[in-house]
Amino acid sequence: DAGITQSPRHKVTETGTPVTLRCHQTENHRYMYWYRQDPGHGLRLIHYSYGVKDTDKGEVSDGYSVSRSKTEDFLLTLESATSSQTSVYFCAIGGGGAVGTDTQYFGPGTRLTVL
Amino acid sequence: SQQGEEDPQALSIQEGENATMNCSYKTSINNLQWYRQNSGRGLVHLILIRSNEREKHSGRLRVTLDTSKKSSSLLITASRAADTASYFCATDANNAGNMLTFGGGTRLMVKP
């Protein structure tokens, strides 16, 4: 594991409640990413960050917000969870080096169930 | 929409056989990567091939890239039961965020 932790690892919540997932890295990578993984869809990018306080939307950003106040932490918030947000969420980090040279390193995932 | 589409979606072989997985994508790319995911775990990077490369090897892995056909293949030779996992291709389509677009994956089962 490339020094990436996610918390919590499992969460069950109810529709309409706010949820925050945390990704923490010890690798000092500039880029951090949040993906969701659903059967039949592979991984889809929700949001990403290219530095402290610098974030941008991915393919499936509706219903999600993010924040990055420190290099090592990237938070994903579901303001009002819905059952369609039941998924496995993965955080990843990348070096943001020369285009075409970067791989991404993934955390262990958070399994979120919205009832 | 997915940039990469893997084929087949599932593959079952005997230990010792070779496994071939294919990936097709839609737009021009800088590179294509293959990742592996064991059940319940995060993805692990296997190999990266740049758009100006046609073939790359890493241990028992061989990756080919045909940019004219917008396709790639991953060959695992002499498979082992421990190779049982899902395999994903991911493309980097020349964007400032180094964003990757993943395909739906191939589930490989290697029977002992």
Side-chain angles (χ1 to χ4, degrees), chain A residues 47-90:
Chain A
H47 281 279
Y48 71 99
S49 170
Y50 47 97
V52 173
K53 294 192 168 77
D54 292 323
T55 65
D56 207 347
K57 296 178 180 180
E59 179 187 355
V60 289
S61 59
D62 287 349
Y64 301 95
S65 63
V66 291
S67 65
R68 191 165 177 203
S69 59
K70 298 184 290 185
T71 298
E72 57 266 35
D73 289 326
F74 192 31
L75 304 181
L76 176 71
T77 297
L78 291 67
E79 301 290 347
S80 178
T82 68
S83 59
S84 65
Q85 293 176 312
T86 292
S87 187
V88 180
Y89 291 85
F90 287 98

Side-chain angles (χ1 to χ4, degrees), chain A residues 32-53:
Chain A
M32 298 184 75
Y33 308 84
W34 275 108
Y35 294 90
R36 61 178 289 174
Q37 184 176 33
D38 304 289
H41 288 278
L43 274 80
R44 293 180 291 175
L45 182 66
I46 305 171
H47 281 279
Y48 71 99
S49 170
Y50 47 97
V52 173
K53 294 192 168 77

Side-chain angles (χ1 to χ4, degrees), chain B residues 8-110:
Chain B
Q9 290 187 327
L11 180 61
S12 181
I13 60 175
Q14 294 294 136
E15 205 165 28
E17 294 179 340
N18 295 342
T20 299
M21 289 158 265
N22 303 295
C23 169
S24 60
Y25 57 92
K26 298 175 183 175
T27 64
S28 296
I29 61 172
N30 284 317
N31 67 63
L32 185 144
Q33 304 178 37
W34 285 90
Y35 287 79
R36 165 192 169 129
Q37 183 181 34
N38 287 82
S39 181
R41 305 290 294 273
L43 278 71
V44 175
H45 177 259
L46 294 176
I47 194 166
L48 179 152
I49 186 166
R50 295 188 178 88
S51 60
N52 62 353
E53 298 175 314
R54 291 297 168 259
E55 186 170 314
K56 204 161 184 180
H57 296 254
S58 176
R60 293 184 295 112
L61 305 180
R62 181 173 80 99
V63 170
T64 62
L65 179 65
D66 187 334
T67 53
S68 66
K69 295 181 179 178
K70 292 186 170 57
S71 67
S72 173
S73 67
L74 171 67
L75 168 68
I76 304 174
T77 60
S79 64
R80 306 166 182 168
D83 294 327
T84 294
S86 291
Y87 293 82
F88 295 88
C89 68
T91 52
D92 172 352
N94 190 20
N95 53 77
N98 284 333
M99 290 183 286
L100 297 179
T101 304
F102 287 82
T106 293
R107 295 187 309 280
L108 173 66
M109 175 173 288
V110 182

